[in-house]
Amino acid sequence: MFDKLDFTLEKYQELAQKVADPAVISDQPTWRTYMKEMGELEPIVNEYKEYKKTKEEIEEAKEILDAEDDEELREMAREEIKENEGKLEELQESLKVLLIPKDPNDQKNVILEIRAGTGGDEAALFGNDLLRMYLRYTERHRFKAEIIELNDTEIGGVKEAVVLIKGKGAYSRLKYESGTHRVQRVPETESSGRIHTSAATVAVLPEIDDVEVDLNPNDVRVDVYRASGNGGQCVNTTDSAVRLTHIPTGLVVTCQDEKSQIKNKDKAFKVLKSRLYDLKLKEQNDAVSAERKSQIGSGDRSERIRTYNFPQSRVTDHRINLTLYKLDAILDGDLDEIIDGLITQDQAEKMKNF
């Protein structure tokens, strides 16, 4: 670990020299690249410098303890050693976390997909609850959300929704939401008061740049049709809605939320690229299944990850055995306690392999 830390410190110092070089400053793209690298290394470097400083203070206090006859000074040295040894242990654990390889997608925008599962109308109503929960979560974190696709029901349910969430670090937090979400409650249509169990699946994909997915336009069939929905002068009057079919995989993406066919097509291609990227990642993950098992929220959508129990106002995340009795707050977007727990567990698993 310390070899890696020394190497990181040397690299940071080299970058610091480069960004101060007038020749590099005049080449703005290169300068920005170096600055970005420095920014990524800076938290590790600062923590390591603090670690080295604390270690030096322990050594100095030990020298005082060995050399001094004054008992008062010796006692002060003992207290300083004890305090700094505790701090040193904390810094070492912190450095381990900082050295865990970062997910290259963490800073990307998110394409979040919600689909009603078993449970009919009740599952669709739960799908709407999940959509609202994630929209409120994005507001709390000052992310920006755009609904790309929405297939709703007459009674206010959501059969399918696709949302683009923009914001730094959006994927790093929302990636743990992939999986099957289960709801237990008494439907409004249930006269006997019997609790029903329904489910919806959530998929969280990083928004992918053009260079990351090799998408041949000849492999995509583009169909345009008239948008349907409530209101709007363009509804049922112009062919603004777009359906993309990726012939090799059979993936289908539709988008009709914009009045412009061009904008709908652009958004649909973003979703298609992200789904293809996710497919590629799943293939890679399947090839290394042992590693995948160690990852929280790996995207296995057959796995039940969370239960929302309305009669008990209870939410349980089964991956970390966390139960919270604040259902209303969570459905209003207060997800941080759960997500922070998942991040901590994920880091702990990765540190075991470190």
Side-chain angles (χ1 to χ4, degrees):
M1 182 177 95
F2 292 103
D3 286 344
K4 189 168 185 179
L5 286 166
D6 287 332
F7 174 78
T8 302
L9 181 57
E10 287 173 16
K11 188 175 180 183
Y12 182 84
Q13 290 168 343
E14 286 173 13
L15 287 167
Q17 290 177 348
K18 286 179 180 178
V19 297
D21 186 337
V24 175
I25 294 171
S26 63
D27 181 0
Q28 280 294 296
T30 302
W31 182 82
R32 281 194 292 269
T33 300
Y34 289 154
M35 287 297 293
K36 185 182 177 184
E37 282 186 61
M38 280 185 69
E40 290 169 354
L41 297 177
E42 194 165 13
I44 301 172
V45 168
N46 288 342
E47 201 82 344
Y48 187 38
K49 285 180 177 177
E50 186 66 22
Y51 177 90
K52 292 177 80 171
K53 179 186 171 189
T54 304
K55 198 169 183 181
E56 286 172 5
E57 288 174 356
I58 291 172
E59 294 303 319
E60 288 171 5
K62 283 181 177 178
E63 287 175 10
I64 292 172
L65 198 60
D66 293 337
E68 282 290 340
D69 294 328
D70 189 316
E71 188 55 37
E72 189 175 340
L73 285 174
R74 286 169 61 82
E75 183 58 32
M76 286 174 64
R78 287 191 198 98
E79 287 179 9
E80 188 175 341
I81 290 168
K82 185 180 178 181
E83 184 182 329
N84 278 332
E85 281 179 342
K87 184 180 176 183
L88 201 68
E89 196 173 319
E90 289 175 8
L91 286 166
Q92 190 162 324
E93 290 304 306
S94 175
L95 284 166
K96 285 180 184 178
V97 173
L98 288 169
L99 284 175
I100 292 170
K102 301 293 185 290
D103 186 335
N105 295 317
D106 273 352
Q107 298 306 312
K108 291 184 178 177
N109 298 331
V110 163
I111 290 175
L112 185 141
E113 304 178 352
I114 300 169
R115 288 183 180 80
T118 55
D121 286 340
E122 177 60 19
L125 288 170
F126 179 50
N128 185 60
D129 291 336
L130 290 178
L131 175 60
R132 181 184 178 276
M133 178 179 78
Y134 291 122
L135 291 176
R136 291 286 295 120
Y137 182 78
T138 60
E139 288 175 15
R140 286 169 179 263
H141 284 263
R142 298 186 179 179
F143 297 151
K144 184 181 177 184
E146 296 176 24
I147 295 177
I148 292 177
E149 184 180 343
L150 183 63
N151 181 3
D152 52 8
T153 67
E154 292 180 357
I155 61 170
V158 169
K159 290 181 181 177
E160 183 178 12
V162 180
V163 185
L164 173 62
I165 299 172
K166 297 180 178 180
K168 187 176 180 182
Y171 185 77
S172 69
R173 297 193 65 78
L174 286 167
K175 64 182 176 182
Y176 300 98
E177 294 302 294
S178 283
T180 300
H181 296 241
R182 185 177 68 169
V183 63
Q184 296 171 329
R185 64 182 170 191
V186 179
E188 293 180 9
T189 54
E190 176 60 59
S191 56
S192 65
R194 188 165 57 92
I195 294 173
H196 285 229
T197 299
S198 305
T201 59
V202 174
V204 179
L205 317 174
E207 186 187 22
I208 301 307
D209 299 326
D210 289 345
V211 293
E212 295 178 85
V213 175
D214 184 15
L215 179 59
N216 187 343
N218 295 327
D219 288 341
V220 181
R221 188 176 73 241
V222 181
D223 299 308
V224 294
Y225 57 98
R226 291 185 179 180
S228 59
N230 299 319
Q233 292 182 349
C234 291
V235 173
N236 294 322
T237 62
T238 61
D239 292 336
S240 60
V242 173
R243 181 189 300 110
L244 303 181
T245 305
H246 187 246
I247 297 164
T249 61
L251 289 172
V252 177
V253 177
T254 62
C255 186
Q256 63 172 33
D257 68 306
E258 299 281 355
K259 293 180 181 180
S260 161
Q261 183 190 121
I262 294 172
K263 288 183 179 179
N264 280 329
K265 186 177 177 182
D266 181 56
K267 284 188 175 182
F269 264 103
K270 281 185 178 180
V271 174
L272 178 59
K273 286 170 185 172
S274 290
R275 288 185 184 172
L276 286 171
Y277 183 75
D278 187 54
L279 204 60
K280 182 175 153 187
L281 282 183
K282 282 182 70 179
E283 288 172 358
Q284 291 172 352
N285 285 337
D286 289 342
V288 274
S289 58
E291 183 179 344
R292 184 177 184 178
K293 285 177 184 176
S294 74
Q295 295 176 2
I296 298 285
S298 59
D300 183 355
R301 285 163 203 125
S302 65
E303 179 191 0
R304 181 194 67 190
I305 64 164
R306 195 175 297 151
T307 296
Y308 305 74
N309 184 293
F310 276 69
Q312 298 176 19
S313 188
R314 167 174 60 82
V315 176
T316 300
D317 196 289
H318 304 289
R319 295 163 295 179
I320 52 175
N321 297 320
L322 174 66
T323 296
L324 301 172
Y325 290 89
K326 54 175 190 178
L327 176 69
D328 290 343
I330 288 168
L331 288 176
D332 195 44
D334 185 9
L335 286 166
D336 282 332
E337 189 171 353
I338 296 175
I339 291 174
D340 287 343
L342 288 163
I343 290 171
T344 300
Q345 177 70 11
D346 190 18
Q347 289 176 342
E349 289 294 329
K350 287 175 179 174
M351 280 173 67
K352 284 181 187 177
N353 300 326
F354 176 66

PDB file of all heavy atoms in Angstrom, residues 187-205:
ATOM      1  N   PRO A 187     -54.272  -2.471  -1.454  1.00  0.00           N
ATOM      2  CA  PRO A 187     -54.696  -1.621  -2.574  1.00  0.00           C
ATOM      3  C   PRO A 187     -56.029  -0.940  -2.274  1.00  0.00           C
ATOM      4  O   PRO A 187     -56.851  -1.469  -1.509  1.00  0.00           O
ATOM      5  CB  PRO A 187     -54.843  -2.609  -3.741  1.00  0.00           C
ATOM      6  CG  PRO A 187     -54.090  -3.824  -3.335  1.00  0.00           C
ATOM      7  CD  PRO A 187     -54.179  -3.889  -1.844  1.00  0.00           C
ATOM      8  N   GLU A 188     -56.230   0.225  -2.868  1.00  0.00           N
ATOM      9  CA  GLU A 188     -57.485   0.955  -2.662  1.00  0.00           C
ATOM     10  C   GLU A 188     -58.689   0.146  -3.140  1.00  0.00           C
ATOM     11  O   GLU A 188     -59.799   0.307  -2.647  1.00  0.00           O
ATOM     12  CB  GLU A 188     -57.438   2.300  -3.395  1.00  0.00           C
ATOM     13  CG  GLU A 188     -56.408   3.262  -2.806  1.00  0.00           C
ATOM     14  CD  GLU A 188     -56.371   4.582  -3.550  1.00  0.00           C
ATOM     15  OE1 GLU A 188     -57.258   4.801  -4.402  1.00  0.00           O
ATOM     16  OE2 GLU A 188     -55.462   5.381  -3.280  1.00  0.00           O
ATOM     17  N   THR A 189     -58.455  -0.731  -4.121  1.00  0.00           N
ATOM     18  CA  THR A 189     -59.557  -1.528  -4.690  1.00  0.00           C
ATOM     19  C   THR A 189     -59.855  -2.779  -3.856  1.00  0.00           C
ATOM     20  O   THR A 189     -60.808  -3.497  -4.133  1.00  0.00           O
ATOM     21  CB  THR A 189     -59.189  -1.983  -6.121  1.00  0.00           C
ATOM     22  OG1 THR A 189     -57.918  -2.652  -6.075  1.00  0.00           O
ATOM     23  CG2 THR A 189     -59.087  -0.796  -7.060  1.00  0.00           C
ATOM     24  N   GLU A 190     -59.046  -3.043  -2.806  1.00  0.00           N
ATOM     25  CA  GLU A 190     -59.212  -4.243  -1.989  1.00  0.00           C
ATOM     26  C   GLU A 190     -60.185  -3.971  -0.852  1.00  0.00           C
ATOM     27  O   GLU A 190     -59.876  -3.241   0.092  1.00  0.00           O
ATOM     28  CB  GLU A 190     -57.848  -4.676  -1.446  1.00  0.00           C
ATOM     29  CG  GLU A 190     -57.875  -5.865  -0.500  1.00  0.00           C
ATOM     30  CD  GLU A 190     -58.447  -7.115  -1.140  1.00  0.00           C
ATOM     31  OE1 GLU A 190     -57.899  -7.576  -2.159  1.00  0.00           O
ATOM     32  OE2 GLU A 190     -59.457  -7.617  -0.617  1.00  0.00           O
ATOM     33  N   SER A 191     -61.384  -4.540  -0.937  1.00  0.00           N
ATOM     34  CA  SER A 191     -62.435  -4.270   0.057  1.00  0.00           C
ATOM     35  C   SER A 191     -62.213  -5.026   1.362  1.00  0.00           C
ATOM     36  O   SER A 191     -62.619  -4.579   2.435  1.00  0.00           O
ATOM     37  CB  SER A 191     -63.805  -4.639  -0.517  1.00  0.00           C
ATOM     38  OG  SER A 191     -63.806  -6.002  -0.947  1.00  0.00           O
ATOM     39  N   SER A 192     -61.521  -6.182   1.294  1.00  0.00           N
ATOM     40  CA  SER A 192     -61.338  -7.003   2.495  1.00  0.00           C
ATOM     41  C   SER A 192     -60.148  -6.566   3.342  1.00  0.00           C
ATOM     42  O   SER A 192     -59.925  -7.112   4.418  1.00  0.00           O
ATOM     43  CB  SER A 192     -61.159  -8.470   2.095  1.00  0.00           C
ATOM     44  OG  SER A 192     -59.958  -8.640   1.359  1.00  0.00           O
ATOM     45  N   GLY A 193     -59.387  -5.606   2.858  1.00  0.00           N
ATOM     46  CA  GLY A 193     -58.237  -5.121   3.613  1.00  0.00           C
ATOM     47  C   GLY A 193     -57.050  -6.054   3.573  1.00  0.00           C
ATOM     48  O   GLY A 193     -56.162  -5.983   4.425  1.00  0.00           O
ATOM     49  N   ARG A 194     -57.001  -6.934   2.580  1.00  0.00           N
ATOM     50  CA  ARG A 194     -55.896  -7.895   2.470  1.00  0.00           C
ATOM     51  C   ARG A 194     -54.662  -7.237   1.870  1.00  0.00           C
ATOM     52  O   ARG A 194     -54.754  -6.477   0.908  1.00  0.00           O
ATOM     53  CB  ARG A 194     -56.350  -9.071   1.605  1.00  0.00           C
ATOM     54  CG  ARG A 194     -55.374 -10.226   1.556  1.00  0.00           C
ATOM     55  CD  ARG A 194     -56.062 -11.472   0.987  1.00  0.00           C
ATOM     56  NE  ARG A 194     -56.613 -11.190  -0.333  1.00  0.00           N
ATOM     57  CZ  ARG A 194     -55.951 -11.407  -1.478  1.00  0.00           C
ATOM     58  NH1 ARG A 194     -54.712 -11.879  -1.442  1.00  0.00           N
ATOM     59  NH2 ARG A 194     -56.513 -11.156  -2.645  1.00  0.00           N
ATOM     60  N   ILE A 195     -53.491  -7.521   2.428  1.00  0.00           N
ATOM     61  CA  ILE A 195     -52.235  -6.946   1.930  1.00  0.00           C
ATOM     62  C   ILE A 195     -51.814  -7.674   0.659  1.00  0.00           C
ATOM     63  O   ILE A 195     -51.795  -8.906   0.610  1.00  0.00           O
ATOM     64  CB  ILE A 195     -51.125  -7.056   2.996  1.00  0.00           C
ATOM     65  CG1 ILE A 195     -51.477  -6.183   4.210  1.00  0.00           C
ATOM     66  CG2 ILE A 195     -49.771  -6.628   2.428  1.00  0.00           C
ATOM     67  CD1 ILE A 195     -50.529  -6.350   5.380  1.00  0.00           C
ATOM     68  N   HIS A 196     -51.487  -6.905  -0.364  1.00  0.00           N
ATOM     69  CA  HIS A 196     -50.993  -7.452  -1.627  1.00  0.00           C
ATOM     70  C   HIS A 196     -49.502  -7.172  -1.754  1.00  0.00           C
ATOM     71  O   HIS A 196     -49.007  -6.171  -1.252  1.00  0.00           O
ATOM     72  CB  HIS A 196     -51.726  -6.815  -2.818  1.00  0.00           C
ATOM     73  CG  HIS A 196     -53.126  -7.323  -3.007  1.00  0.00           C
ATOM     74  ND1 HIS A 196     -53.619  -7.761  -4.207  1.00  0.00           N
ATOM     75  CD2 HIS A 196     -54.144  -7.477  -2.115  1.00  0.00           C
ATOM     76  CE1 HIS A 196     -54.870  -8.152  -4.058  1.00  0.00           C
ATOM     77  NE2 HIS A 196     -55.216  -7.974  -2.800  1.00  0.00           N
ATOM     78  N   THR A 197     -48.814  -8.048  -2.453  1.00  0.00           N
ATOM     79  CA  THR A 197     -47.399  -7.846  -2.746  1.00  0.00           C
ATOM     80  C   THR A 197     -47.222  -7.644  -4.239  1.00  0.00           C
ATOM     81  O   THR A 197     -47.689  -8.450  -5.042  1.00  0.00           O
ATOM     82  CB  THR A 197     -46.551  -9.056  -2.299  1.00  0.00           C
ATOM     83  OG1 THR A 197     -46.683  -9.216  -0.881  1.00  0.00           O
ATOM     84  CG2 THR A 197     -45.079  -8.851  -2.627  1.00  0.00           C
ATOM     85  N   SER A 198     -46.593  -6.539  -4.610  1.00  0.00           N
ATOM     86  CA  SER A 198     -46.324  -6.226  -6.012  1.00  0.00           C
ATOM     87  C   SER A 198     -44.854  -5.877  -6.149  1.00  0.00           C
ATOM     88  O   SER A 198     -44.141  -5.721  -5.153  1.00  0.00           O
ATOM     89  CB  SER A 198     -47.189  -5.060  -6.485  1.00  0.00           C
ATOM     90  OG  SER A 198     -48.552  -5.323  -6.250  1.00  0.00           O
ATOM     91  N   ALA A 199     -44.409  -5.727  -7.387  1.00  0.00           N
ATOM     92  CA  ALA A 199     -42.986  -5.436  -7.605  1.00  0.00           C
ATOM     93  C   ALA A 199     -42.787  -4.563  -8.828  1.00  0.00           C
ATOM     94  O   ALA A 199     -43.629  -4.506  -9.727  1.00  0.00           O
ATOM     95  CB  ALA A 199     -42.205  -6.733  -7.755  1.00  0.00           C
ATOM     96  N   ALA A 200     -41.656  -3.884  -8.836  1.00  0.00           N
ATOM     97  CA  ALA A 200     -41.205  -3.104  -9.999  1.00  0.00           C
ATOM     98  C   ALA A 200     -39.700  -3.241 -10.072  1.00  0.00           C
ATOM     99  O   ALA A 200     -39.031  -3.416  -9.043  1.00  0.00           O
ATOM    100  CB  ALA A 200     -41.607  -1.638  -9.864  1.00  0.00           C
ATOM    101  N   THR A 201     -39.164  -3.194 -11.275  1.00  0.00           N
ATOM    102  CA  THR A 201     -37.708  -3.278 -11.432  1.00  0.00           C
ATOM    103  C   THR A 201     -37.150  -1.904 -11.769  1.00  0.00           C
ATOM    104  O   THR A 201     -37.790  -1.103 -12.451  1.00  0.00           O
ATOM    105  CB  THR A 201     -37.298  -4.271 -12.539  1.00  0.00           C
ATOM    106  OG1 THR A 201     -37.875  -3.864 -13.775  1.00  0.00           O
ATOM    107  CG2 THR A 201     -37.751  -5.669 -12.207  1.00  0.00           C
ATOM    108  N   VAL A 202     -35.961  -1.664 -11.281  1.00  0.00           N
ATOM    109  CA  VAL A 202     -35.249  -0.413 -11.559  1.00  0.00           C
ATOM    110  C   VAL A 202     -33.910  -0.774 -12.188  1.00  0.00           C
ATOM    111  O   VAL A 202     -33.207  -1.668 -11.711  1.00  0.00           O
ATOM    112  CB  VAL A 202     -35.018   0.402 -10.265  1.00  0.00           C
ATOM    113  CG1 VAL A 202     -34.154   1.638 -10.545  1.00  0.00           C
ATOM    114  CG2 VAL A 202     -36.343   0.820  -9.653  1.00  0.00           C
ATOM    115  N   ALA A 203     -33.581  -0.121 -13.285  1.00  0.00           N
ATOM    116  CA  ALA A 203     -32.269  -0.275 -13.925  1.00  0.00           C
ATOM    117  C   ALA A 203     -31.591   1.085 -13.940  1.00  0.00           C
ATOM    118  O   ALA A 203     -32.219   2.094 -14.277  1.00  0.00           O
ATOM    119  CB  ALA A 203     -32.418  -0.807 -15.342  1.00  0.00           C
ATOM    120  N   VAL A 204     -30.333   1.131 -13.555  1.00  0.00           N
ATOM    121  CA  VAL A 204     -29.567   2.379 -13.536  1.00  0.00           C
ATOM    122  C   VAL A 204     -28.367   2.214 -14.457  1.00  0.00           C
ATOM    123  O   VAL A 204     -27.497   1.383 -14.210  1.00  0.00           O
ATOM    124  CB  VAL A 204     -29.105   2.733 -12.104  1.00  0.00           C
ATOM    125  CG1 VAL A 204     -28.300   4.025 -12.120  1.00  0.00           C
ATOM    126  CG2 VAL A 204     -30.303   2.869 -11.176  1.00  0.00           C
ATOM    127  N   LEU A 205     -28.326   3.004 -15.513  1.00  0.00           N
ATOM    128  CA  LEU A 205     -27.271   2.905 -16.513  1.00  0.00           C
ATOM    129  C   LEU A 205     -26.509   4.221 -16.596  1.00  0.00           C
ATOM    130  O   LEU A 205     -27.110   5.299 -16.516  1.00  0.00           O
ATOM    131  CB  LEU A 205     -27.866   2.604 -17.892  1.00  0.00           C
ATOM    132  CG  LEU A 205     -28.990   1.560 -17.975  1.00  0.00           C
ATOM    133  CD1 LEU A 205     -29.543   1.503 -19.386  1.00  0.00           C
ATOM    134  CD2 LEU A 205     -28.492   0.205 -17.547  1.00  0.00           C
TER     135      LEU A 205
END
